[in-house]
Amino acid sequence: MAIEIVQPSVAGLSKIAVSETHGENSPYFAGWKAYDENPYHEMHNPSGVIQMGLAENQVSFDLVEKYLESNQEAASWGKKVSGFKENALFQDYHGLLSFRKAMASFMEQVRGGKARFDPERVVLTAGATAANELLTFVLADPGDALLVPTPYYPGFDRDLRWRTGVEIVPIHCESSNNFQVTPQALESAYDHATSMNMKVRGVLITNPSNPLGATIQRKVLEEILDFVTRKNIHLVSDEIYSGSVFHSNEFVSIAEVLESRNYKDSERCHIVYSLSKDLGLPGFRVGTVYSYNDQVVTTARRMSSFTLISSQTQLLLASMLSDNEFTEKYIKINRERLRKRYETIVAGLKKAGIECLKGNAGLFCWMNLSPYLSENTKSGELEIWKTIMEEVRLNISPGSSCRCSEAGWFRVCFANMSEETLEVALSRLHEFMDRRRRDRNLLSVL
Amino acid sequence: MKQNSEQTSISNLQETTAGATGVTTDMRVIVPLQGVVQGGGGLVLGSIIPCALFYFFQLYLKGKSRSDDDPVTPTPPPLPEISPPLERVHSIRSIWSPRGTNGQAQVSSRANSVIKQPDSPHYVGLKRASEDPYDESSNSDGIIQLGLDENKLSLDLVQDWLVEHTNCLIFGQDLRMNGITTYHPFDGLSELKMAVAGFMSQAMEGRVLFDPSQIFLTSGATPAVEMLAFCLADSGNAFLVPSPYFPDLDRDIKWRTGVEIIHVPCRSSDNFSLNTTALHRAYNQAKKRGLKVQGVIISNPSNPVGNLLNRETIYKLLDFATEKNIHIISNEILACSTGNESQQEFVSMAEIMNSEEYDRNRLHIVYGLSKDLSLPGFRVGVVYSFNQNVMDASKKLLRFSSVSSLAQRLLISMVNDSRFIRKFLKINSERVERMRNLFVSGLKNLGIECMESSRGFYCWVDMSGFIRPYSEKGEFELWEKLLNVGKINATPGSCCHCIEPGWFRFCFTNLKEKEIPLVMERIRRVL
């Protein structure tokens, strides 16, 4: 039944329209609002809130910009008369073949050539958000469950559940083993779902993980693959940070594992990718679903009518991504710069007395403030988060919005700002921790 | 009785499979069938028959679980079955079914219904035409596409503009500073909203002013319609839609939302205009079926018929919606294609929204740039609503179908160039009108009548005199002949859910003027 809204004279809206599943009232998003109201600016507002809750990659953007400037014909229509006609009119949900080929080849390059991708299996969507939602529509019915390891990207609660009606059942991971997924945790999540009469349709992992900032080890991938095979369910691997691994040899994609098994049982596997993080182009809205299952490819492709990429974006990116010289250089330099940033922030945090999870990928680090909580609970965590937002004026993401089962962990993004801003943020944090220690010492003396 | 012997033979199987040499006397005594068989063949049959019975038992299990696969009804998913029997059935199914991997992890029933849908002639025809497209020089025997309502007539104008403007447009400026590459509001850049508001007003000849803050941009009219369906109806609810309606609406409304469409049939005797009696009847029928109607979806100008809703009908529709307390979604995507010599005025739902004669919280418009600006590839659709709740939900829902910032930047410049837009609208209108006249008179010469009031890029054509029998089957046969013999792809009325057989939609804006005689000749060949 649609929920009636206040004015009785107007027809009601759907449950989806009025539900809170979009989650925009959680602390994850509350911090963003604080930032929007008082954003930091080097010159104009040096005491403003520094945004460290947005996982955006701006460290290598100059490379993309330089490429676009020196390759203007890539985006222009002038030379190719027939090219224009095809492009303006192109509304086929298959997408431009040249673009699909370019995406497949870029994905291969990101994985160091250790896995092959077939352009015919590339389904295009307007961003990874849409790709995850689309896969959920294809793989699960309302009321079914997807198992997702915690902590996970807060947006999943919305992207996987809102319109699809599908539930997320968490696979609890703990700091004792660096938050890695264990077979026991998988089984326990599965059992929990079935005890609640939910049909489990699949496992969704993010590799490299958001918010952990770490790749999943090969051994764990194999265990997860064996688990889904045993239970006869799907495996979705969200690999949107695959190009942001600091050392190329530390990332193992599910595609590699499948290839090493000769693609046996691969029809249950699907990969999500996007250019928003690796290439720093979130505004372009480019995402893809790559599936080893023909039925899923066909259905996802048809459903992608609801979320197509504009043809001239495809055209522009097709030529950029097929330029192997550029992509190789970009991937290499991007990795180095991210690694450097990571080392800077970890060192800076250490100086302030804060430890992080050992990470090797992504645009953020997973920081441990649990020793500093007044109480080891979610409210203790939110208390310190609020203090950091108000006193230190940093917006960071609390682990509770990532459904972390342990209190006190925070995700801190470092790639969406300049090096100078990062230094400012670190020094503020340092000061804050010093002050806190002094206050504590004073209290203990009194 | 039969059950008993099955059970007996299965438990026997466990004994007999243990060793093929088996004790024949035991088998003859315990399994009645074995008793029939004597002599040498008995041992062989003695092992085969229990196996056969086991085989049939598996068939029975397989048949039982296959019926669970029926995707149509929105019933809650069955409780998870016990693992061992499920696995066994799956493995046998994978041997027998033509698609070997069918036994693997299943897709959702939503996906299944998409897969199992037999492709309607509309989509089959589109596919065939794209695989074997007519080309004057290289493929003169190919299929002429009259099923896709795209406008190629004025592409040259758009192309010229783009060539002139693209280079200095984007790349002379700092991409990041201009927010091209960073995240932007999911419902579109405000500059584009303002530009589109201005364009829509211009397109409706300044009769209505559109307010940019009520505009939400999305990647095409398809997600715009679906998004409104998600907003205004729960799964299991329904919308009333006057038929015939454009085939894609079935996909846009039903596929993922679980919302139903109830047809409100329109008849040629009424010139296919909306009849309020039919509306009431359809509403009551829905009620009897236990379906809650949340709104009416109309297209104005209508697709596929091409007529305009007159003021009187619109008011009647508004009264109906007010009485039943439901929404109205008006798809006005072809608003500019109304042609120069419109005897009838185009009344946009926006006019009603502005006049505030009716509660505008129940009115919503869907629009898109693909038809009027010949830019379907750019993927820009518009939702226009004053309903605060819809607006709030849209801002968040549109994250799943956002427009590329690159496309938005380009369009901002193009749409803001009002000199170009004026020129484009004028010339395009003339060309569409001219093509329509040529096409209609060509058909007239063949003795084929079109709906007089046709607007848009197509003609709604009455071929009922040429189908035998006068039924959907006859119409389908004519469609097939047109496609296979005449090498012409047109959309048969049944795909648009027209209750009268024999009507076809022919889109003429894909053609060049000189191709019209060829088209007519091919049609003549078939008739």
Side-chain angles (χ1 to χ4, degrees):
Chain A
M1 293 289 287
I3 296 174
E4 298 297 317
I5 53 176
V6 179
Q7 310 124 303
S9 56
V10 182
L13 258 63
S14 66
K15 285 194 274 245
I16 286 178
V18 302
S19 94
E20 294 282 302
T21 315
H22 52 75
E24 286 189 16
N25 299 324
S26 78
Y28 181 71
F29 297 102
W32 288 39
K33 291 188 193 130
Y35 166 76
D36 282 333
E37 285 158 13
N38 181 18
Y40 170 83
H41 190 278
E42 218 170 349
M43 314 273 204
H44 309 306
N45 190 14
S47 62
V49 176
I50 298 183
Q51 172 67 287
M52 301 188 90
L54 178 57
E56 210 177 57
N57 182 2
Q58 291 179 14
V59 306
S60 312
F61 187 68
D62 55 313
L63 301 173
V64 173
E65 216 170 11
K66 234 192 332 229
Y67 175 87
L68 289 175
E69 274 167 24
S70 49
N71 288 279
Q72 291 201 23
E73 322 87 61
S76 76
W77 310 92
K79 314 266 163 85
K80 300 178 253 174
V81 171
S82 60
F84 171 79
K85 281 222 170 75
E86 280 143 30
N87 275 290
L89 282 180
F90 200 75
Q91 54 171 325
D92 186 343
Y93 51 49
H94 285 81
L96 279 177
L97 179 58
S98 57
F99 180 57
R100 280 185 285 128
K101 281 189 175 149
M103 273 300 264
S105 124
F106 186 68
M107 285 168 76
E108 284 174 2
Q109 267 195 304
V110 160
R111 289 158 184 74
K114 287 180 273 177
R116 272 159 308 151
F117 290 95
D118 176 2
E120 293 304 318
R121 295 194 170 282
V122 172
V123 176
L124 301 173
T125 63
T129 301
N132 278 318
E133 196 205 32
L134 183 57
L135 261 181
T136 308
F137 269 121
V138 173
L139 303 177
D141 286 315
D144 289 345
L146 285 179
L147 307 182
V148 184
T150 66
Y152 58 74
Y153 161 57
F156 278 159
D157 283 332
R158 168 199 62 207
D159 298 345
L160 305 179
R161 293 168 54 221
W162 196 9
R163 303 195 294 186
T164 61
V166 172
E167 277 307 318
I168 294 181
V169 172
I171 301 170
H172 291 293
C173 299
E174 292 162 13
S175 58
S176 49
N177 72 338
N178 289 327
F179 294 101
Q180 286 180 80
V181 175
T182 62
Q184 297 88 329
L186 283 167
E187 289 286 348
S188 140
Y190 187 91
D191 292 337
H192 183 61
T194 43
S195 74
M196 292 195 289
N197 281 336
M198 285 193 279
K199 187 163 185 213
V200 177
R201 288 296 201 157
V203 174
L204 189 145
I205 57 176
T206 310
N207 179 24
S209 160
N210 175 4
L212 298 178
T215 56
I216 300 185
Q217 290 176 10
R218 191 186 186 107
K219 172 168 158 301
V220 177
L221 280 178
E222 305 254 12
E223 280 166 2
I224 297 176
L225 191 52
D226 290 335
F227 173 79
V228 299
T229 309
R230 236 181 9 252
K231 301 291 188 189
N232 194 21
I233 56 180
H234 293 274
L235 174 61
V236 176
S237 180
D238 185 339
E239 304 191 346
I240 65 168
Y241 293 101
S242 45
S244 310
V245 184
F246 308 151
H247 299 278
S248 57
N249 55 348
E250 287 183 18
F251 172 60
V252 178
S253 162
I254 196 73
E256 288 172 51
V257 178
L258 291 173
E259 202 161 296
S260 70
R261 293 186 180 195
N262 262 325
Y263 296 106
K264 181 168 174 299
D265 273 333
S266 58
E267 296 87 16
R268 62 181 76 260
C269 297
H270 325 277
I271 297 178
V272 168
Y273 188 60
S274 153
L275 299 181
S276 306
K277 310 295 182 185
D278 289 343
L279 273 181
L281 296 171
F284 282 21
R285 312 310 306 144
V286 178
T288 142
V289 169
Y290 186 90
S291 176
Y292 295 92
N293 180 320
D294 292 339
Q295 271 189 353
V296 173
V297 170
T298 313
T299 318
R301 192 161 274 157
R302 290 188 192 178
M303 283 193 187
S304 68
S305 317
F306 297 109
T307 178
L308 294 176
I309 304 179
S310 88
S311 48
Q312 122 267 43
T313 306
Q314 293 187 42
L315 184 68
L316 167 63
L317 291 174
S319 65
M320 186 166 89
L321 294 181
S322 1
D323 185 340
N324 283 336
E325 202 190 304
F326 165 73
T327 52
E328 224 178 277
K329 187 178 85 169
Y330 178 90
I331 292 172
K332 185 163 167 294
I333 296 183
N334 184 46
R335 283 200 220 284
E336 281 167 17
R337 291 183 181 176
L338 286 175
R339 185 184 60 227
K340 225 174 119 235
R341 282 286 176 106
Y342 177 77
E343 284 164 5
T344 307
I345 196 175
V346 167
L349 289 174
K350 203 172 187 131
K351 244 179 29 179
I354 303 176
E355 293 290 326
C356 290
L357 181 77
K358 183 144 177 25
N360 61 353
L363 313 175
F364 32 72
C365 63
W366 189 233
M367 175 171 88
N368 186 9
L369 287 181
S370 56
Y372 303 104
L373 297 183
S374 56
E375 48 178 81
N376 199 6
T377 62
K378 179 170 166 182
S379 50
E381 179 185 286
L382 288 178
E383 195 192 307
I384 207 176
W385 168 76
K386 207 154 167 281
T387 313
I388 292 182
M389 187 160 72
E390 287 166 4
E391 285 181 36
V392 193
R393 285 172 327 267
L394 297 181
N395 176 35
I396 57 181
S397 313
S400 47
S401 42
C402 305
R403 312 276 178 211
C404 186
S405 43
E406 297 175 21
W409 291 86
F410 290 82
R411 186 190 78 170
V412 186
C413 300
F414 53 72
N416 60 316
M417 60 188 76
S418 66
E419 282 177 39
E420 293 79 22
T421 312
L422 184 57
E423 293 294 343
V424 171
L426 287 171
S427 61
R428 282 189 192 176
L429 206 48
H430 199 188
E431 265 174 48
F432 168 73
M433 295 302 286
D434 266 350
R435 240 183 342 210
R436 213 184 144 94
R437 259 189 295 274
R438 274 198 308 260
D439 292 343
R440 288 282 145 89
N441 287 341
L442 212 62
L443 279 171
S444 61
V445 164
L446 289 175
Chain B
M1 224 16 213
K2 187 177 183 244
Q3 192 72 7
N4 265 335
S5 67
E6 270 181 29
Q7 282 175 345
T8 340
S9 50
I10 283 164
S11 58
N12 265 340
L13 186 67
Q14 268 139 20
E15 292 171 32
T16 51
T17 46
T21 49
V23 183
T24 12
T25 35
D26 278 354
M27 285 197 301
R28 274 201 219 121
V29 166
I30 295 168
V31 181
L33 288 169
Q34 299 336 296
V36 174
V37 178
Q38 309 274 337
L43 186 63
V44 173
L45 280 172
S47 18
I48 289 179
I49 290 173
C51 286
L53 287 167
F54 180 70
Y55 179 104
F56 286 124
F57 180 65
Q58 291 305 316
L59 241 187
Y60 162 76
L61 275 182
K62 172 184 178 231
K64 195 161 110 58
S65 54
R66 188 185 268 161
S67 64
D68 287 344
D69 252 347
D70 263 23
V72 181
T73 48
T75 51
L79 293 175
E81 296 162 273
I82 311 162
S83 295
L86 194 66
E87 276 171 17
R88 203 182 293 154
V89 172
H90 274 167
S91 60
I92 290 181
R93 193 192 290 166
S94 62
I95 296 169
W96 287 340
S97 74
R99 280 176 300 196
T101 57
N102 212 16
Q104 299 289 326
Q106 294 291 298
V107 293
S108 67
S109 47
R110 269 183 288 223
N112 258 326
S113 61
V114 169
I115 295 169
K116 285 181 183 174
Q117 240 169 43
D119 259 339
S120 81
H122 173 67
Y123 296 106
V124 168
L126 285 179
K127 188 158 178 271
R128 286 276 308 277
S130 68
E131 287 165 359
D132 179 19
Y134 168 82
D135 184 282
E136 200 185 339
S137 30
S138 57
N139 189 14
S140 56
D141 221 8
I143 300 178
I144 297 185
Q145 175 68 283
L146 299 180
L148 198 55
D149 53 343
E150 267 172 4
N151 181 5
K152 280 189 183 161
L153 300 177
S154 311
L155 263 189
D156 55 320
L157 300 174
V158 179
Q159 180 172 8
D160 290 339
W161 186 93
L162 282 174
V163 167
E164 252 180 70
H165 291 83
T166 310
N167 280 345
C168 49
L169 193 63
I170 299 171
F171 302 112
Q173 304 152 15
D174 186 336
L175 287 170
R176 196 180 342 178
M177 295 294 281
N178 273 333
I180 288 185
T181 53
T182 51
Y183 281 108
H184 53 77
F186 292 116
D187 55 319
L189 298 168
S190 41
E191 291 145 286
L192 185 54
K193 289 187 187 187
M194 289 195 288
V196 169
F199 172 77
M200 284 163 80
S201 306
Q202 212 177 353
M204 303 195 194
E205 288 150 43
R207 267 193 299 251
V208 196
L209 280 181
F210 286 87
D211 183 349
S213 45
Q214 320 303 132
I215 287 186
F216 303 90
L217 299 174
T218 176
S219 57
T222 300
V225 172
E226 195 204 33
M227 201 268 309
L228 277 176
F230 268 118
C231 259
L232 304 176
D234 288 317
S235 177
N237 291 160
F239 284 108
L240 298 179
V241 185
S243 65
Y245 57 82
F246 64 103
D248 284 345
L249 199 60
D250 283 327
R251 170 197 69 190
D252 298 348
I253 298 291
K254 300 203 277 190
W255 266 14
R256 307 193 301 182
T257 63
V259 174
E260 275 304 317
I261 291 183
I262 309 282
H263 304 156
V264 181
C266 303
R267 298 172 185 284
S268 54
S269 45
D270 288 333
N271 282 331
F272 291 101
S273 58
L274 181 57
N275 181 313
T276 19
T277 323
L279 259 181
H280 280 274
R281 196 180 315 131
Y283 183 90
N284 293 332
Q285 274 171 3
K287 217 161 145 199
K288 278 206 202 93
R289 280 169 60 182
L291 288 171
K292 183 162 194 284
V293 173
Q294 283 294 100
V296 183
I297 305 179
I298 55 170
S299 57
N300 183 23
S302 152
N303 183 353
V305 179
N307 55 9
L308 294 174
L309 279 178
N310 62 29
R311 219 172 257 281
E312 197 192 322
T313 313
I314 292 185
Y315 283 134
K316 287 213 187 104
L317 176 61
L318 287 161
D319 289 332
F320 173 79
T322 310
E323 181 197 321
K324 304 293 183 192
N325 194 19
I326 58 179
H327 296 272
I328 298 181
I329 300 177
S330 178
N331 187 334
E332 302 188 353
I333 196 172
L334 289 154
C336 296
S337 331
T338 49
N340 271 335
E341 295 151 33
S342 356
Q343 294 103 336
Q344 226 190 334
E345 56 160 350
F346 168 64
V347 182
S348 163
M349 199 53 78
E351 220 186 285
I352 315 288
M353 284 154 115
N354 284 349
S355 72
E356 304 203 39
E357 287 169 69
Y358 288 85
D359 189 347
R360 57 189 189 184
N361 280 315
R362 66 174 83 258
L363 306 176
H364 320 276
I365 298 181
V366 169
Y367 185 69
L369 297 182
S370 52
K371 310 290 181 191
D372 290 330
L373 268 184
S374 301
L375 294 170
F378 279 52
R379 312 306 314 157
V380 182
V382 178
V383 171
Y384 188 76
S385 177
F386 281 87
N387 184 318
Q388 192 59 47
N389 288 311
V390 170
M391 285 163 55
D392 291 339
S394 303
K395 283 201 189 75
K396 301 174 188 126
L397 282 169
L398 291 176
R399 69 183 333 99
F400 298 109
S401 50
S402 205
V403 188
S404 153
S405 49
L406 204 57
Q408 293 195 54
R409 285 285 158 204
L410 204 62
L411 283 168
I412 288 171
S413 305
M414 184 190 292
V415 174
N416 275 334
D417 187 346
S418 32
R419 212 168 46 98
F420 164 73
I421 294 291
R422 249 196 322 270
K423 181 179 94 170
F424 177 87
L425 289 177
K426 180 165 175 293
I427 297 182
N428 182 49
S429 220
E430 284 165 6
R431 291 180 183 179
V432 170
E433 188 72 14
R434 190 180 151 76
M435 192 64 92
R436 181 186 300 124
N437 288 337
L438 283 171
F439 199 82
V440 169
S441 55
L443 287 176
K444 226 179 182 120
N445 285 339
L446 294 175
I448 302 175
E449 289 295 322
C450 303
M451 276 289 297
E452 257 311 317
S453 49
S454 277
R455 293 286 176 261
F457 303 148
Y458 36 75
C459 299
W460 184 235
V461 170
D462 186 1
M463 311 270 275
S464 53
F466 302 97
I467 62 173
R468 242 164 299 279
Y470 180 69
S471 69
E472 196 177 312
K473 184 164 176 293
E475 179 188 283
F476 181 78
E477 278 168 13
L478 177 57
W479 169 79
E480 261 191 330
K481 263 206 309 197
L482 280 171
L483 185 62
N484 297 323
V485 175
K487 298 295 205 119
I488 289 188
N489 175 43
T491 308
S494 52
C495 300
C496 307
H497 304 285
C498 184
I499 52 169
E500 296 176 20
W503 290 85
F504 280 78
R505 186 187 76 171
F506 286 95
C507 301
F508 50 75
T509 47
N510 259 325
L511 300 171
K512 300 195 188 72
E513 259 180 60
K514 58 181 176 177
E515 289 167 357
I516 293 189
L518 174 61
V519 172
M520 297 304 150
E521 180 49 43
R522 288 190 180 189
I523 298 179
R524 183 204 304 273
R525 249 201 318 209
V526 170
L527 297 179

